Amino acid sequence: MAAYFRRKKICYFTANRIHDVDYKDINLLRKFIMENGKIVPSRITGTKAAYQRKLTNAVKLARFLALLPYCDRH
């Protein structure tokens, strides 16, 4: 039996040389939000901790300004 090979996760922001996460960039933020509105954890996406904190703050600000929904439609 062959051993299972897990692909190494890379940080999206480091790979694309994005230094600041902007709360107005809704298309970028939607990549890191689940269908039900939750923020995807870094252990799944591979995002570095510093970028995950910036991402979380940007999503929360975008939600507050009604650019993103808090949850899905029930």
Side-chain angles (χ1 to χ4, degrees):
M1 294 179 79
Y4 178 72
F5 178 74
R6 182 181 296 210
R7 187 176 69 86
K8 182 165 172 47
K9 297 175 186 172
I10 58 169
C11 178
Y12 177 84
F13 299 101
T14 305
N16 293 323
R17 295 189 174 106
I18 300 173
H19 299 293
D20 289 329
V21 183
D22 190 16
Y23 70 93
K24 294 174 281 190
D25 191 1
I26 302 303
N27 294 328
L28 176 68
L29 296 180
R30 284 189 190 269
K31 292 181 183 180
F32 296 95
I33 295 178
M34 293 183 195
E35 292 176 357
N36 58 1
K38 290 183 178 181
I39 301 172
V40 181
S42 62
R43 61 184 162 79
I44 295 174
T45 60
T47 307
K48 291 183 179 179
Y51 288 112
Q52 185 72 19
R53 286 190 295 270
K54 290 180 182 179
L55 178 70
T56 301
N57 290 332
V59 168
K60 288 180 180 180
L61 183 58
R63 285 175 176 166
F64 180 74
L65 296 173
L67 299 175
L68 287 175
Y70 278 97
C71 62
D72 63 342
R73 296 179 186 170
H74 296 289

